[in-house]
Amino acid sequence: DCENKAHDMLWEPSENESFWGALGYEEQTAKLNSGDDVKLIMMLTVPNDAEKQMRLRNPMFRRFVTSTTGCRIQPQEATYRHPLTDKRTTYTHWELDWATCTRFIMESNQGVIAQKSERIKDLLKSDFRGGSSPNPDKDPRYAIFFVGVLNLVFYLGWAK
């Protein structure tokens, strides 16, 4: 049932020509990421850990998240031991890399979402202090214009 739900949720934007128009997927992605001032934070809420693992298991979703946010999603091998039969089963558990996932949140617990949001807020704080450094693009020739206007003021004052 989960596999059918996951298959219905799949959407590959590179196959949707009306969405991308004349540009190809790579050109459109480059165009979207060309602005230096664009900040993207993606937050997804999921009802439980099983739904989170279902989404993270999808290779197209992992590629999308990595290309848009830079977040690495890494597989972790885990072993489950059945308590009655003592049968061991190894499975892959997908985890977000905390070092690179500063712009991607996927959680079900509101407390964890709030904690990660605080971390992102701290990372986005700017230490900019206006007026502390001179403008490197300022052209000193503008002062000549003011001297010319000052001459006009003296001329009009002298002529009266």
Side-chain angles (χ1 to χ4, degrees), residues 6 9-13 25 42-46 51-74 94-96 101 103-107:
M9 293 169 42
L10 293 179
W11 175 66
E12 178 61 39
Y25 180 72
M42 187 184 306
M43 182 182 82
L44 299 173
T45 56
V46 290
E51 179 100 9
K52 179 180 177 180
Q53 289 301 311
M54 183 185 73
R55 292 181 190 269
L56 293 176
R57 188 179 313 127
N58 185 342
M60 287 189 293
F61 179 78
R62 289 194 311 266
R63 186 177 54 202
F64 170 74
V65 169
T66 301
S67 66
T68 55
T69 64
C71 177
R72 284 183 288 178
I73 302 170
Q74 300 172 336
W94 296 90
E95 290 291 328
L96 303 174
C101 289
R103 301 187 311 163
F104 179 68
I105 300 173
M106 178 186 255
E107 292 294 334

Side-chain angles (χ1 to χ4, degrees), residues 103-118:
R103 301 187 311 163
F104 179 68
I105 300 173
M106 178 186 255
E107 292 294 334
S108 58
N109 185 341
Q110 296 296 327
V112 175
I113 291 174
Q115 179 186 15
K116 289 184 178 182
S117 298
E118 285 291 323

Side-chain angles (χ1 to χ4, degrees), residues 67-91:
S67 66
T68 55
T69 64
C71 177
R72 284 183 288 178
I73 302 170
Q74 300 172 336
Q76 303 285 330
E77 294 294 324
T79 303
Y80 171 75
R81 186 181 68 82
H82 193 275
L84 298 176
T85 62
D86 202 36
K87 182 178 178 183
R88 297 179 188 272
T89 305
T90 303
Y91 63 95

Side-chain angles (χ1 to χ4, degrees), residues 95-142:
E95 290 291 328
L96 303 174
D97 182 23
W98 277 85
T100 60
C101 289
T102 56
R103 301 187 311 163
F104 179 68
I105 300 173
M106 178 186 255
E107 292 294 334
S108 58
N109 185 341
Q110 296 296 327
V112 175
I113 291 174
Q115 179 186 15
K116 289 184 178 182
S117 298
E118 285 291 323
R119 180 175 165 230
I120 291 172
K121 183 185 81 168
D122 293 340
L123 289 172
L124 292 177
K125 281 185 181 175
S126 175
D127 60 346
F128 175 74
R129 293 178 185 88
S132 62
S133 63
N135 184 359
D137 298 328
K138 185 170 89 174
D139 190 359
R141 293 178 288 180
Y142 76 93

